[in-house]
Amino acid sequence: MVKISPSILASDFANLGNEVKRMEEAGVEMLHIDVMDGHFVPNISFGAPVMKCIRKDFNGIFDVHLMISEPLRYIGDFVKAGANIITFHVECDSDIKETINAIKGAGIKAGLSIKPGTPAQAVAPYLDQLDMVLVMTVEPGFGGQSFMADMMPKVQEIRRMITAAGKEIDLQVDGGVNNETGRICWENGANVLVAGSHLFQQADYSQAVEALRESCQ
């Protein structure tokens, strides 16, 4: 069963609480929260205080994606703000194992993400500690980019690694996901789809979420 994680980066920030409530009513499992520091990626988005404010508006999973240089420094802040899973980048400056340990030690799930230019094998040494792997299908840092279909062999390779490990690890894709590209990702082994612009630009969120879900049947 595919899981849908709408990215609030594409939402109406002036009505963020209501946007989040509407997505919950649409039946999504997760809410994708893109945190950007203006250093690891060019853009700046928002931090733990904003996330804490909308925790009351969404009862599902807070899927926090840290696109920041030093994720280890901020794990505690995002845990306190209500994160259920924290995903950070293998390309960051923090020690990978230490960061995973900090996340797991806080009692929540840990994910590791890779940029388009990073090989699948970069996550292999940490797979036994992970709950999710995120493959970026655009360059991180900007919403609304075009889907990179050439990332699908990487998705396939990581799915094979997960199967070989015999663990229940989610495989997430993020970037340019719509009904067509979402189906491609699903067929190549991803089971969690992050969709931002495609969902938040629709008038009827429930209809948009259901259409995305159905595209993977």
Side-chain angles (χ1 to χ4, degrees):
M1 180 72 175
V2 67
K3 300 175 186 177
I4 310 295
S5 189
S7 171
I8 65 170
L9 197 61
S11 68
D12 177 2
F13 284 5
N15 297 288
L16 191 51
N18 186 53
E19 292 273 69
V20 167
K21 288 176 182 176
R22 288 179 62 200
M23 275 301 174
E24 180 168 55
E25 291 167 358
V28 300
E29 294 84 353
M30 312 163 77
L31 197 68
H32 195 76
I33 300 172
D34 285 308
V35 178
M36 301 186 287
D37 64 358
H39 185 261
F40 183 77
V41 292
N43 274 353
I44 296 173
S45 59
F46 38 73
V50 170
M51 186 178 125
K52 185 178 180 180
C53 287
I54 59 169
R55 180 69 274 190
K56 68 182 184 305
D57 299 312
F58 189 81
N59 294 311
I61 295 168
F62 264 16
D63 167 28
V64 181
H65 178 195
L66 299 182
M67 289 179 274
I68 64 179
S69 295
E70 298 182 70
L72 182 57
R73 290 180 56 190
Y74 301 98
I75 298 305
D77 293 337
F78 286 99
V79 170
K80 290 176 184 175
N84 299 106
I85 178 167
I86 294 178
T87 299
F88 66 101
H89 276 261
V90 72
E91 305 92 351
C92 75
D93 295 334
S94 295
D95 181 89
I96 305 299
K97 286 188 176 181
E98 194 176 348
T99 305
I100 293 172
N101 288 340
I103 297 169
K104 303 286 275 189
I108 67 170
K109 293 183 177 182
L112 197 57
S113 181
I114 50 177
K115 294 180 180 181
T118 302
Q121 286 300 317
V123 303
Y126 315 103
L127 205 59
D128 63 339
Q129 300 171 277
L130 297 176
D131 300 286
M132 187 162 71
V133 176
L134 167 55
V135 176
M136 294 300 299
T137 45
V138 296
E139 288 293 339
F142 298 91
Q145 295 182 66
S146 297
F147 176 76
M148 298 171 70
D150 55 348
M151 293 298 106
M152 291 305 99
K154 188 186 298 187
V155 172
Q156 292 175 9
E157 184 177 353
I158 293 175
R159 173 53 66 191
R160 287 193 293 268
M161 290 163 55
I162 290 171
T163 300
K167 290 194 67 183
E168 297 234 354
I169 301 172
D170 284 323
L171 180 49
Q172 185 177 68
V173 288
D174 180 3
V177 172
N178 55 35
N179 295 350
E180 180 182 354
T181 59
R183 177 181 52 79
I184 292 169
C185 292
W186 169 259
E187 290 174 347
N188 281 277
N191 71 302
V192 184
L193 305 180
V194 175
S197 303
H198 174 68
L199 293 180
F200 280 103
Q201 287 179 359
Q202 308 303 317
D204 188 326
Y205 289 177
S206 295
Q207 189 177 63
V209 168
E210 185 58 29
L212 180 54
R213 208 182 292 283
E214 287 181 356
S215 72
C216 299
Q217 301 305 313

